[in-house]
Amino acid sequence: MAVSGLTWVLTTLFVVGMLLFDFIFHARKPHTPGLKESAAWSALYVTIALSFGLFVLWHWGPNFATQYYAGYVTELSLSVDNLFVFLIIMASFKVPRESQQEVLLFGIVVSLIFRSALIFVGAAAINAFAWVFYIFGLILLITAGSTLKEALSGDDDEEESGENFFIRAVRRVFHTSDQYEGNKLFTQLDGRRAMTPMLLVMIAIGGTDVLFALDSIPAIFGLTQEVYLVFTAVVFSLMGLKQLFFLIDGLLDRLIYLSYGLSAILAFIAVKLVLHALHENNLPFINAGEPVPVLEITTQMSLVFILGVLAVTVLFSLYSPRGRAMAIIRATEDLAERYLALPADAPLEERTRINRQLGQKLGGMPRIPDHLKSELIENEQHYRDLIHRAHGEHQDFLSRATESR
C-alpha cells in the first residue's frame, strides 16, 4: 500500500484541525451536552470514519478498505468498553457533569499521542521481526482471559480504577485541593499553590488510556499491518469517543454482556495473529525455522466475526431478562436522582413529568424476579430510600403548591 508524504501530512492536519475545533467550540465552554447534540456529533464522526473507508476503497481497493473497516470496528468496540472505566473514574473523582467534556478530550489527546508512538514502534518491530506476532497474540490472549475473568466475577475494580496507587502517591507528594474550580488545574489553598481534582482526574484518565493502548494496538495489527490504516482506524475510533460517552452514558449499564463479546473478539484476533506468525515463521525451534502450512483467517472473515459477535452481545444485553431488569433499575435510580437534583424553583410541569416517568418505570419492578433484584441492586436500603425521598419531595411540593393558592 503506497501512501505519499502529502497524504500523511493532509491526514495529520485534518486530525489536528478536528481536535482544535472540538476544543474551541465544545470543551472550552463547560456544559452538559444534550442527547440531540451528542447524537448529531456522534453521527458526524461516524460518517467521517465510514466515508474515509470509501476513500480507501476508491484509492487502494476493496482489500485495504475491508482491513480499515475491520480495524475501525474493533477499535471502536474496545473504546466503548473503555468508557465503562471512564465512568468509574469520573464517579470516583465526582467530576461535575459540565466539566467532563474537557477531561475526556484531554484523555483522547494523550491516547492519540501514545498510540501513534506505539503504532510506529509496532510497525518497525513487525518489519524487523516476524516473531513479534507471537508476542502480540500472547498479549491479546492474556487480555481476553482477564476480561472474561472480570466479567464472570463481576469485579470492576472500581476503587483501583479511580483512586489508584499513582493518584494516591501524587496526593501524598503534592499539595492538592478537594474542590473543583471550573476547569482550573491549579488553585490557591492555605496560601499555597495546589492541584485541583480536575488535574488529578486528567492524570487518571491519561494513565488509563496508556494501559488501554497495550491491548488496542496489538488487536488492530492482527487485522492489518498497513501503518496508515492502523493510524487512521485508531484516530477515527477515538475522535468521536467524547460525544459517544454522553450519547450512551445511560446505555452503558445495560450492555452487561459486552465484556464477554470483547473477550471473544480479542481471543479470535489472538488466534489469527498466531496463525499468521506460524505462516511467516522464522524461529529456529519451530518447524526448523520454516513457515508452517496453516489456514490463515482472512480480513473478510474477521470483519464478519467481529460484527456478528458485537450484534449478538448488544442484542442479548438489551433483551435478556437480566438486561431488561438492569434497564428498569438504572432508569428508576437516574430519574429519582434527577428529581432530587431539581432546583427549588423548578416548574411544576418538569417535576410532574419526571415523577410520572419514575412511576412508569417503577411499574415494571414487579416483573423483575427477586433474585435479579438482589443481584443488580447494590444497596437495597439506599435504593428504597432514594425512591422514597423522590416521591416524598414531590408530595411535599404539591402540598405547598396547593396551600399557596
Side-chain angles (χ1 to χ4, degrees):
M1 182 177 178
V3 183
S4 67
L6 178 60
T7 301
W8 272 105
V9 170
L10 292 176
T11 303
T12 304
L13 289 176
F14 179 71
V15 171
V16 172
M18 286 200 300
L19 286 172
L20 289 174
F21 178 84
D22 204 344
F23 174 75
I24 294 172
F25 292 99
H26 293 92
R28 195 177 179 184
K29 301 175 181 178
H31 70 287
T32 302
L35 182 62
K36 186 177 180 181
E37 177 185 343
S38 299
W41 283 105
S42 294
L44 174 63
Y45 280 111
V46 170
T47 300
I48 291 174
L50 296 179
S51 300
F52 181 80
L54 295 178
F55 168 73
V56 174
L57 175 65
W58 170 73
H59 202 68
W60 289 287
N63 181 42
F64 291 119
T66 304
Q67 291 181 28
Y68 164 78
Y69 281 125
Y72 171 71
V73 172
T74 299
E75 291 297 306
L76 187 62
S77 60
L78 289 171
S79 296
V80 171
D81 190 48
N82 297 348
L83 291 182
F84 283 101
V85 182
F86 289 167
L87 279 172
I88 293 169
I89 294 174
M90 297 282 194
S92 298
F93 285 91
K94 297 180 175 62
V95 180
R97 186 77 170 167
E98 64 273 9
S99 298
Q100 291 180 359
Q101 284 207 83
E102 185 170 352
V103 173
L104 288 170
L105 184 59
F106 173 83
I108 289 169
V109 171
V110 169
S111 186
L112 281 174
I113 294 172
F114 189 78
R115 293 186 194 203
S116 297
L118 276 183
I119 286 169
F120 290 104
V121 171
I126 287 171
N127 290 332
F129 312 104
W131 49 263
V132 169
F133 284 109
Y134 289 114
I135 297 177
F136 281 1
L138 179 61
I139 291 173
L140 291 185
L141 278 176
I142 293 173
T143 305
S146 176
T147 303
L148 182 61
K149 181 181 177 182
E150 289 180 5
L152 291 172
S153 65
D155 182 13
D156 295 326
D157 295 329
E158 294 192 16
E159 184 177 349
E160 293 182 10
S161 298
E163 288 283 324
N164 56 35
F165 172 79
F166 180 68
I167 293 298
R168 291 195 295 271
V170 169
R171 287 187 182 275
R172 284 196 295 267
V173 174
F174 296 97
H175 192 45
T176 61
S177 166
D178 293 328
Q179 299 296 324
Y180 285 91
E181 296 187 21
N183 290 341
K184 289 183 179 180
L185 303 181
F186 294 93
T187 186
Q188 291 293 323
L189 181 65
D190 299 329
R192 297 169 55 194
R193 187 176 176 83
M195 293 181 177
T196 66
M198 177 64 74
L199 179 57
L200 295 179
V201 72
M202 284 184 171
I203 293 173
I205 291 285
T208 304
D209 272 332
V210 169
L211 295 177
F212 287 153
L214 297 179
D215 59 54
S216 161
I217 299 305
I220 192 169
F221 269 118
L223 299 168
T224 177
Q225 287 82 59
E226 298 293 339
V227 178
Y228 184 71
L229 296 183
V230 172
F231 175 75
T232 50
V234 169
V235 165
F236 288 126
S237 68
L238 288 172
M239 290 302 299
L241 192 59
K242 180 166 66 68
Q243 285 75 19
L244 190 65
F245 175 87
F246 293 99
L247 178 63
I248 66 174
D249 187 358
L251 181 61
L252 284 175
D253 284 332
R254 295 184 60 184
L255 299 180
I256 53 179
Y257 297 112
L258 180 62
S259 294
Y260 294 95
L262 291 176
S263 177
I265 290 172
L266 291 174
F268 174 83
I269 297 176
V271 172
K272 184 178 186 296
L273 279 169
V274 172
L275 290 175
H276 182 73
L278 290 170
H279 189 268
E280 302 290 332
N281 178 65
N282 56 12
L283 293 178
F285 54 84
I286 297 179
N287 198 34
E290 296 297 322
V292 181
V294 294
L295 174 69
E296 283 209 83
I297 301 172
T298 66
T299 307
Q300 289 82 357
M301 292 168 60
S302 300
L303 182 58
V304 170
F305 179 84
I306 292 166
L307 291 175
V309 169
L310 287 176
V312 171
T313 300
V314 171
L315 290 174
F316 199 65
S317 294
L318 296 179
Y319 295 104
S320 67
R322 182 183 170 90
R324 289 196 296 267
M326 175 70 81
I328 294 173
I329 292 169
R330 291 292 180 264
T332 53
E333 288 179 333
D334 179 65
L335 288 167
E337 290 173 352
R338 195 186 308 174
Y339 189 94
L340 294 173
L342 289 173
D345 58 349
L348 175 61
E349 292 77 10
E350 185 176 5
R351 291 179 178 275
T352 303
R353 177 178 58 82
I354 296 176
N355 184 70
R356 185 186 305 115
Q357 291 176 342
L358 177 58
Q360 291 172 346
K361 293 296 181 182
L362 287 171
M365 289 295 288
R367 296 195 298 270
I368 301 177
D370 290 338
H371 73 278
L372 282 179
K373 290 179 183 177
S374 60
E375 181 182 345
L376 298 176
I377 299 176
E378 296 178 3
N379 187 325
E380 188 171 350
Q381 186 59 48
H382 172 75
Y383 178 80
R384 291 179 182 275
D385 290 344
L386 184 68
I387 303 299
H388 181 73
R389 284 171 53 209
H391 276 309
E393 283 207 12
H394 188 65
Q395 294 302 319
D396 290 344
F397 179 83
L398 292 178
S399 298
R400 292 194 300 271
T402 301
E403 292 173 358
S404 63
R405 290 176 182 174

